[in-house]
Amino acid sequence: MVESRLAVFLLVVGFLSFTSESLRFDLKSGLTKCISEDINSNSMTVGKYSIVNPNEGHPLPDSHKLTVRVTSQYGNTLHSADHQDSGQFSFAAAEAGSYMTCFFAPDHKPETTLTVDFDWRTGVSTKDWSNVAKKGSVELMELELKKMLDTVTTIHEEMFYLRLKEEEMQELNKSTSTKMTVFTLLSIVICLSVAGMQLWHLKTFFEKKKLI
């Protein structure tokens, strides 16, 4: 019975936990590839990148270098590395929004294609729980409870962030609706004014011609 409950408990934790898998992509010489991630404020994020060696057992060619930039939605540079074959970054997001990591491959003749491994983790998935268990000497259940608590906290923060976004969208919709109403009323007033001026002009014209 205890084992059954523990299995269900672990299944729930696994469902709630935020995970991030490594991304592998190709990048040709002279081109740029950018990857964005929506991060909540005060969330911890870590990233690791490396160029896959096309010739195992041999040094990387001089052409296999990257320039990497990590920026916030306001253009603030959080990580910068030039002509590197691997590297990593970590920071706590100062504000909520979209953060972008851009990879630049320098020009090279003949053209070269770089294969890049990139692992970007945010929130609870940045924590190494195996080290927590080892350092704290905690039991399995305590470890899973710690993971669940941190996951629930992260979910709560994400829900609060989404609620703020929803309120902003509602305010934008109200503002747009008000502007459209004013524009519609103004258009009606202008149309009626133009129609009245046309009638007045026609009446004046017929009176001068003594048609009426």
Side-chain angles (χ1 to χ4, degrees):
M1 186 68 177
V2 175
E3 292 180 355
S4 177
R5 290 181 178 178
L6 179 59
V8 174
F9 176 78
L10 294 176
L11 181 62
V12 173
V13 172
F15 177 76
L16 291 176
S17 296
F18 299 138
T19 59
S20 176
E21 296 181 357
S22 296
L23 174 68
R24 174 172 289 193
F25 59 89
D26 291 333
L27 183 60
K28 292 184 178 181
S29 300
L31 298 182
T32 301
K33 182 177 181 63
C34 293
I35 300 170
S36 63
E37 180 78 13
D38 194 38
I39 303 176
N40 200 2
S41 60
N42 299 320
S43 292
M44 188 66 187
T45 183
V46 296
K48 296 180 181 179
Y49 53 88
S50 61
I51 299 176
V52 178
N53 193 337
N55 301 309
E56 287 293 337
H58 295 82
L60 272 174
D62 293 336
S63 59
H64 284 52
K65 299 294 181 181
L66 285 172
T67 295
V68 183
R69 298 283 187 276
V70 182
T71 57
S72 69
Q73 61 178 343
Y74 300 110
N76 299 322
T77 301
L78 303 170
H79 173 74
S80 177
D82 296 323
H83 304 292
Q84 299 293 319
D85 53 30
S86 64
Q88 60 184 14
F89 59 84
S90 64
F91 60 87
E95 65 273 334
S98 179
Y99 289 74
M100 186 170 294
T101 302
C102 290
F103 299 87
F104 307 87
D107 287 322
H108 189 270
K109 299 298 181 183
E111 186 180 82
T112 303
T113 298
L114 310 180
T115 300
V116 183
D117 276 337
F118 182 42
D119 186 10
W120 195 355
R121 300 176 184 271
T122 303
V124 67
S125 61
T126 62
K127 294 189 176 181
D128 187 348
W129 288 104
S130 61
N131 287 340
V132 172
K134 187 180 298 183
K135 293 177 181 178
S137 299
V138 295
E139 297 296 332
L140 177 61
M141 184 65 75
E142 291 178 298
L143 174 61
E144 297 303 334
L145 285 173
K146 284 176 180 274
K147 291 174 66 175
M148 175 170 277
L149 177 61
D150 208 29
T151 301
V152 170
T153 301
T154 304
I155 292 175
H156 179 266
E157 292 175 351
E158 290 292 335
M159 292 179 65
F160 183 74
Y161 172 66
L162 291 175
R163 187 174 68 181
L164 290 178
K165 287 291 185 181
E166 181 182 1
E167 291 176 355
E168 291 177 0
M169 290 300 299
Q170 289 178 350
E171 290 297 326
L172 179 61
N173 290 336
K174 289 180 181 178
S175 176
T176 303
S177 178
T178 301
K179 291 179 181 178
M180 289 299 298
T181 302
V182 172
F183 178 76
T184 301
L185 293 175
L186 184 61
S187 299
I188 293 174
V189 171
I190 292 175
C191 289
L192 292 175
S193 300
V194 171
M197 291 179 63
Q198 289 179 336
L199 289 174
W200 176 80
H201 176 73
L202 289 173
K203 181 181 179 182
T204 304
F205 174 78
F206 288 136
E207 287 177 347
K208 286 184 179 180
K209 295 295 183 178
K210 297 181 179 179
L211 297 176
I212 56 174

